[in-house]
Amino acid sequence: DDAAPAPAPVPAPGQAPVVIADRLGAAGPEPREAIDPASLTTEMEAISDDVKKRREVDHTLARFSAVHDELAEQERIRKERRQKLMPWKADHDEDATEYASPVDVPEEDGPRRRGRTAKHSKIVRTVKAVALTAAVLVFVSTGLGWAAMLYIDSKITEIDALNSNSAAVHQAEKQHGDENFLIVGSDSRAGAKPQDGVGDVSAEPGARSDVLMLAHIPADRKRMVVVSVPRDLLITRPTCEGWDPATGEYTGEQFERAENVKANEPYAVGGPKCVSAFMTELTGLDINHFISVDFNGFKGMVDAIGTVEVCVQKPMDDEELGVIFDKPGRHEVDGTKALDFVRARKVEGESKTDFDRVARQQQFLSALLRKALSSEILLNPGKLNGFLNAFAASTVGQNIGVNDMLTLAQSLQSLEAGRVSFVTVPHETAEGETLETHDNLELLKEAETKKLFQAIIDGTPLPEETPDDTPADPNQAQAQPTGPKQGKVVDHNGLQIQVRNGDPDAAGAARIATGELRELGYKVVISGDAPATDKTVIKYGPGGEDAAATLGASVPGATLVYETYMGGAVQLLIGPGWDGVIRAPQAGGGEAGTTPTPTDIPVVNAGKDPCA
């Protein structure tokens, strides 16, 4: 054992020495001896299994140590960066351990918490059971309510009735968020039974608009105006596609525009879409809901909510329907009696024209609205469900889903009766050749009609309408639809505008309009042709409200259209049928609410008691 170690073998010429490490230490491999490569195999075979296992463990520990050192270095770099970014934050802030406050444990001989008694446990179980039952009932009732709504919606007959983006809509930017319901009372006898007392299809074929009303509800839901159009009024019917009331489908047959036809003809010829087009041209309103109800549907809705109170000033005896009321005063009427009340046209003591009947229809609709919007109906599931089912079963329409109708009803529930006005389209009677009334002609007063609907668009109060004294609700104001500000007419000199011609059949229209506008003092920065359009419009965006209102006062035949992409630019886009009128703008012409209130038209206020 004390002998000197043997000298290390000398490698052959050109052969490098081989170094074998005994084990890996903390400082890395340590050379022990150099051996001859020829004896390497013999030396490795002499290594025991224990040595091999020990070396595997050492290698594993070395790898773990290297990974630990790498993670520690990354943590050090992260802390340095954090210290540079947040020098005020100490290292211990992040790593500090938070300890909960100590809990005071009562002494062994102190008062102890009492356990639950049997009675207390029973109460707890009862409360849990009640809560669970309530949750289940809410879930089930919500599901049933949703299913019922879908069921009622499925019973409403949907039909293409509205004319979206119509060129006849006047000042669409002022009507943003408004609701306009076109209500047609059809005299169709389809499905009527002998006991209904309304006749049958063989005696009264087809369908006409026996009642024609338009209900306007502005975006703030603070008023309602219902305008009636008498069925005998002479009007201009637009070009319409034929309609078959028996099938409820359009036939494809085209009917040209017709002058001096009665107001009930558009529905008879072209159905919902034709009467919608006619009413849009007449009113300039953007009609977004259509409702058509026949005789049976009207009766069913009245019966579903019970009875409706009406008032008559004298006994009511009709030549065709017989005695409706044998004495004056207030009467509770069911569906059958209500139908006689609104249909009667030959009442003794009346002028036997359609206008007396229109007044009764307005009076009854006022009473029906008060009843339908009352808590007696809205908070009574049975009556509300019956009313909605009767409405759906006999209604043809568009955009009249149950959810939409209930939302509207709830928003109108707080509307006081004095804020609901019924008005008839301004008209005059031209006497016929005889002294009888059957050959009289009912003519539309166009100037007064235009003034009426402009006042409705502007929100101008009508005669006898109760003023709105309710304070503004900031929460409600935020919920109103957002849109452009109301512009006003300003000095037009130097006002920069664009002029484009979108009518391929009117070559040079942009050049002519540009010349006239420049003579007035406008600065036309762009002029030329544009892709074809369907009507003459003035496009503007945010910040261009005043310029658009000013240009609109100079080009009365154009409709203002708000487009966000326009920015502050204002463009006159000429379309088919433009009358070419360009004039100097009148100051104040573009401000809202400046249209004078029509004073020579009869208005029925829903808050006025007909028996007073």
Side-chain angles (χ1 to χ4, degrees):
D1 294 335
D2 298 335
V10 179
Q15 184 178 13
V18 178
V19 179
I20 298 179
D22 181 38
R23 60 184 299 178
L24 291 175
E30 181 178 329
R32 183 175 182 184
E33 58 182 352
I35 63 173
D36 186 354
S39 61
L40 180 61
T41 303
T42 304
E43 183 71 19
M44 292 182 65
E45 290 177 354
I47 299 174
S48 65
D49 292 338
D50 293 338
V51 174
K52 291 180 181 179
K53 292 180 179 179
R54 186 171 63 249
R55 289 180 179 179
E56 290 177 359
V57 172
D58 290 341
H59 280 291
T60 302
L61 292 175
R63 287 195 295 269
F64 284 151
S65 177
V67 171
H68 177 271
D69 293 342
E70 183 179 353
L71 292 176
E73 179 64 16
Q74 292 178 358
E75 178 68 13
R76 184 188 64 79
I77 296 174
R78 186 183 69 83
K79 289 184 177 181
E80 288 182 355
R81 291 177 179 173
R82 184 188 61 193
Q83 186 66 21
K84 291 179 181 180
L85 294 174
M86 297 180 292
W88 62 86
K89 186 175 180 66
D91 290 341
H92 61 78
D93 291 344
E94 181 178 350
D95 302 329
T97 303
E98 296 182 3
Y99 297 93
S101 301
V103 179
D104 293 331
V105 181
E107 298 295 335
E108 291 296 330
D109 54 353
R112 294 181 176 270
R113 180 183 175 185
R114 297 178 59 189
R116 290 180 179 175
T117 63
K119 182 178 180 181
H120 185 205
S121 300
K122 184 177 180 180
I123 293 175
V124 171
R125 289 195 299 270
T126 303
V127 171
K128 289 182 178 180
V130 171
L132 178 61
T133 303
V136 172
L137 289 176
V138 169
F139 177 78
V140 172
S141 62
T142 302
L144 292 176
W146 178 255
M149 186 176 69
L150 292 179
Y151 172 72
I152 295 174
D153 276 341
S154 67
K155 296 174 65 176
I156 298 177
T157 303
E158 284 280 339
I159 191 169
D160 187 12
L162 303 177
N163 299 274
S164 58
N165 299 321
S166 172
V169 175
H170 181 58
Q171 294 181 320
E173 74 283 355
K174 289 186 177 181
Q175 303 184 45
H176 186 75
D178 294 354
E179 303 286 356
N180 294 301
F181 289 79
L182 179 55
I183 304 170
V184 174
S186 170
D187 64 359
S188 171
R189 271 71 172 180
K193 301 177 182 179
Q195 59 267 29
D196 293 331
V198 297
D200 54 30
V201 178
S202 59
E204 297 288 346
R208 290 149 296 276
S209 53
D210 204 52
V211 177
L212 186 56
M213 294 181 173
L214 193 145
H216 169 77
I217 306 169
D220 60 9
R221 308 293 186 259
K222 292 184 177 180
R223 65 196 294 252
M224 177 190 292
V225 180
V226 182
V227 183
S228 297
V229 179
R231 59 177 290 172
D232 294 334
L233 183 69
L234 296 182
I235 53 95
T236 298
R237 176 180 54 74
T239 302
C240 294
E241 180 183 0
W243 181 69
D244 185 357
T247 62
E249 297 179 354
Y250 295 97
T251 63
E253 182 181 1
Q254 296 296 318
F255 291 87
E256 297 298 326
R257 191 177 186 88
E259 304 282 345
N260 295 324
V261 300
K262 289 189 176 183
N264 64 349
E265 182 175 310
Y267 190 80
V269 172
K273 186 175 288 187
C274 188
V275 73
S276 176
F278 152 61
M279 288 296 290
T280 302
E281 289 187 0
L282 178 69
T283 66
L285 297 176
D286 185 10
I287 301 173
N288 42 27
H289 302 274
F290 178 85
I291 301 174
S292 175
V293 182
D294 59 21
F295 285 162
N296 281 329
F298 178 83
K299 291 173 55 179
M301 284 188 289
V302 175
D303 288 335
I305 63 176
T307 59
V308 177
E309 182 184 83
V310 298
C311 178
V312 292
Q313 302 289 340
K314 55 186 178 181
M316 190 173 174
D317 186 4
D318 185 79
E319 294 179 7
E320 294 182 352
L321 301 176
V323 177
I324 300 175
F325 299 114
D326 57 358
K327 59 182 179 180
R330 303 179 187 274
H331 299 270
E332 292 286 338
V333 298
D334 59 9
T336 301
K337 187 70 71 174
L339 185 60
D340 290 342
F341 180 70
V342 300
R343 284 183 59 206
R345 299 187 66 190
K346 300 179 180 180
V347 177
E348 183 178 350
E350 292 184 353
S351 58
K352 298 183 181 180
T353 66
D354 197 43
F355 301 104
D356 293 317
R357 187 176 68 152
V358 167
R360 289 196 301 274
Q361 292 171 354
Q362 293 174 345
Q363 177 191 343
F364 182 82
L365 183 58
S366 173
L368 180 63
L369 280 173
R370 288 197 300 270
K371 184 70 173 286
L373 294 177
S374 67
S375 57
E376 177 185 350
I377 302 301
L378 292 180
L379 299 182
N380 186 321
K383 288 188 176 181
L384 180 60
N385 184 64
F387 178 78
L388 292 176
N389 273 286
F391 173 81
S394 55
T395 298
V396 174
Q398 187 174 356
N399 290 350
I400 52 172
V402 173
N403 188 43
D404 295 332
M405 301 296 286
L406 288 178
T407 300
L408 182 66
Q410 290 171 356
S411 66
L412 294 177
Q413 191 175 9
S414 59
L415 183 67
E416 57 180 296
R419 300 283 294 166
V420 179
S421 299
F422 293 85
V423 61
T424 305
V425 170
H427 60 277
E428 58 185 352
T429 302
E431 296 293 339
E433 297 179 356
T434 68
L435 297 178
E436 300 294 329
T437 59
H438 67 274
D439 59 352
N440 290 347
L441 300 178
E442 305 299 338
L443 308 178
L444 179 69
K445 300 172 73 172
E446 295 185 4
E448 287 78 358
T449 298
K450 185 176 181 179
K451 183 186 298 185
L452 167 65
F453 288 108
Q454 185 62 55
I456 291 175
I457 292 174
D458 289 342
T460 305
L462 298 178
E464 300 186 24
E465 183 176 317
T466 302
D468 179 25
D469 297 328
T470 58
D473 184 356
N475 296 326
Q476 185 177 9
Q478 293 178 0
Q480 298 307 319
T482 58
K485 298 185 301 182
Q486 178 60 49
K488 60 181 182 297
V489 176
V490 297
D491 185 7
H492 67 285
N493 287 290
L495 200 62
Q496 296 186 1
I497 61 172
Q498 304 173 10
V499 179
R500 297 285 193 179
N501 179 23
D503 183 4
D505 297 329
R511 176 178 50 80
I512 297 173
T514 297
E516 295 186 20
L517 289 168
R518 283 174 174 167
E519 288 183 3
L520 290 176
Y522 288 94
K523 184 178 181 180
V524 181
V525 295
I526 297 178
S527 179
D529 293 333
T533 184
D534 59 348
K535 62 179 179 179
T536 300
V537 299
I538 295 175
K539 294 184 177 181
Y540 69 102
E545 291 86 354
D546 292 346
T550 304
L551 182 59
S554 292
V555 189
T559 300
L560 271 64
V561 175
Y562 181 79
E563 301 283 2
T564 55
Y565 67 82
M566 290 295 294
V570 177
Q571 180 186 96
L572 170 62
L573 179 59
I574 299 173
W578 181 48
D579 56 13
V581 175
I582 294 178
R583 64 193 183 193
Q586 299 178 358
E591 297 180 359
T594 58
T595 303
T597 304
T599 57
D600 56 347
I601 55 175
V603 176
V604 176
N605 188 273
K608 186 176 181 180
D609 187 356
C611 280

